[in-house]
Amino acid sequence: MGSFFSKQVQRRKSVHTQKKLLYDLKEKNNIDFPGSDYHLDDRKNWMSTLTLQKLHVNKIIWPGTHDSATNKIGIPFISRPFARTQSLSIYKQLVMGTRVLDIRVQEDGRVCHGILVSYHVDVVINDVKKFLSETESEIIILEIRTEFGHDDPPEFNKYLEDQLGEFLIHQDDSVFNKTVAELLPKRVICVWKPRKSPQPKHGSSLWSAGYLKDNWIDTDLPKTKFESNLKYLSEQPPVTSRKYFYRVENTVTPQADNPVLCVKPVTNRIRPYGRLFINESISRGYGDRLQIYSTDFIDKDFVDACIGLTNARIEGKL
């Protein structure tokens, strides 16, 4: 018992120390990356406010959400706080400016996170289609995967093709060098990551798992995650020379051996440092590698930082 409490005290000290390290780093740095002062009122149509003929797919900083469809997961006030990473619906996330969605499903087609379940994936698809019907030039990356420990929904690739067919951008390496203007009216890059079913093939309307990569670091320590994100980002080729999307997640994860297990207070250890990460990426020479940038509980400031940096890229300021 004494060993357990000793470990908890040490963990609390580690968390406190790492939070202070990030705070101090932010205080001593001037957050002034190219486009950092960019703010937009119409985030719903932010791509269309930029020059579509210059907006190459591989140069966009894509604002994304982690575990996007968890706003109604589990039981309110009981299990939900342990799994919810977003408070907004998929539609409201898209209206706010989110352009990369991370959806996990189980065999019956319901959204899930581990053992907790939420609404059917139909809700996600309907929100996406509603958003697409209200906009003209916004491109979405929709990643859908079978959650770990679950089986694939039957014939799910056909379901996605039937639901989104008219909007789907086909799997093709040339897409990365194309502009948004060249892709329209197609508007959804749908990455389907099954557990056992065959991966989508080149030329199909869905994209295979290898086209969206990341390095998941399972920790609740914010400075550890911050530096690990920078390390893995530094190992990627520049966006202009790779044929896959790479995602960085500005999140930390509750750990079973820590007394704080609710998502929000844990992820808030790193969430305020979204702009600091962009700043550090650029100052350390990795700014040309940043592409998909995701967070928990996305907000307008996070989206604006991504849009501002995107605009700076296409204007040749980065």
Side-chain angles (χ1 to χ4, degrees):
M1 185 67 74
S3 173
F4 173 80
F5 284 113
S6 176
K7 184 178 180 181
Q8 294 307 308
V9 169
Q10 185 57 47
R11 286 297 299 272
R12 285 177 177 271
K13 286 181 178 178
S14 296
V15 169
H16 176 77
T17 299
Q18 292 214 0
K19 287 170 66 176
K20 187 174 188 307
L21 286 170
L22 274 183
Y23 176 83
D24 290 345
L25 183 62
K26 183 179 180 180
E27 287 298 297
K28 77 175 186 179
N29 279 279
N30 182 25
I31 309 298
D32 190 29
F33 56 82
S36 60
D37 59 347
Y38 194 92
H39 296 283
L40 192 67
D41 291 329
D42 187 12
R43 297 176 186 85
K44 182 177 182 179
N45 295 285
W46 69 260
M47 287 187 177
S48 67
T49 67
L50 306 179
T51 307
L52 298 180
Q53 292 75 17
K54 295 168 65 177
L55 188 57
H56 287 84
V57 168
N58 59 7
K59 293 186 178 179
I60 297 170
I61 308 295
W62 300 78
T65 49
H66 164 240
D67 244 340
S68 307
T70 53
N71 58 309
K72 292 188 177 180
I73 200 162
I75 303 170
F77 307 110
I78 299 175
S79 58
R80 186 169 296 171
F82 301 104
R84 185 171 72 167
T85 62
Q86 307 297 330
S87 56
L88 300 176
S89 69
I90 295 298
Y91 173 74
K92 288 183 179 179
Q93 290 176 43
L94 292 168
V95 169
M96 185 180 283
T98 300
R99 293 295 176 267
V100 181
L101 299 171
D102 160 22
I103 310 297
R104 293 100 182 278
V105 294
Q106 60 184 26
E107 188 176 11
D108 64 0
R110 295 177 72 186
V111 171
C112 64
H113 182 65
I115 62 172
L116 297 180
V117 296
S118 185
Y119 38 68
H120 195 273
V121 73
D122 284 347
V123 175
V124 173
I125 300 300
N126 288 338
D127 272 8
V128 168
K129 288 161 71 172
K130 178 182 179 183
F131 174 78
L132 293 172
S133 73
E134 296 173 355
T135 56
E136 296 181 355
S137 306
E138 305 303 302
I139 306 290
I140 297 168
I141 299 175
L142 173 62
E143 178 199 36
I144 304 187
R145 72 179 87 172
T146 302
E147 178 70 309
F148 180 78
H150 293 275
D151 291 327
D152 302 322
E155 297 187 344
F156 197 65
N157 57 333
K158 184 178 185 302
Y159 165 81
L160 292 171
E161 290 167 347
D162 289 346
Q163 291 292 320
L164 297 169
E166 64 179 300
F167 299 108
L168 292 173
I169 298 166
H170 285 220
Q171 183 184 149
D172 186 339
D173 287 0
S174 68
V175 166
F176 292 94
N177 292 320
K178 289 185 177 181
T179 64
V180 169
E182 291 174 306
L183 293 178
L184 296 174
K186 304 295 186 181
R187 299 171 56 198
V188 178
I189 295 172
C190 185
V191 182
W192 165 226
K193 296 182 175 182
R195 289 282 167 189
K196 298 177 182 177
S197 305
Q199 288 281 333
K201 296 180 179 179
H202 185 78
S204 73
S205 56
L206 305 177
W207 293 62
S208 56
Y211 281 103
L212 202 169
K213 301 181 182 181
D214 54 28
N215 291 97
W216 177 246
I217 305 105
D218 187 15
T219 181
D220 62 355
L221 298 174
K223 189 65 160 54
T224 296
K225 182 66 176 286
F226 189 92
E227 293 296 336
S228 295
N229 278 342
L230 285 167
K231 173 184 176 294
Y232 286 119
L233 182 64
S234 74
E235 296 169 355
Q236 306 306 312
V239 293
T240 52
S241 63
R242 66 182 187 231
K243 301 300 181 183
Y244 61 88
F245 295 102
Y246 184 75
R247 172 172 52 205
V248 172
E249 292 188 321
N250 187 56
T251 63
V252 286
T253 309
Q255 300 297 302
D257 63 349
N258 193 283
V260 183
L261 295 176
C262 296
V263 171
K264 196 159 193 176
V266 173
T267 202
N268 278 347
R269 296 169 186 170
I270 197 171
R271 188 166 160 265
Y273 302 105
R275 285 179 175 264
L276 176 64
F277 182 83
I278 294 176
N279 209 67
E280 284 294 296
S281 299
I282 294 169
S283 66
R284 299 190 196 188
Y286 317 143
D288 61 347
R289 294 155 171 78
L290 194 59
Q291 193 170 49
I292 295 177
Y293 191 32
S294 294
T295 189
D296 291 330
F297 302 103
I298 197 163
D299 58 26
K300 295 174 182 178
D301 185 70
F302 186 90
V303 171
D304 284 352
C306 295
I307 300 172
L309 191 59
T310 298
N311 188 57
R313 264 190 183 163
I314 66 174
E315 294 299 328
K317 298 175 182 176
L318 178 62

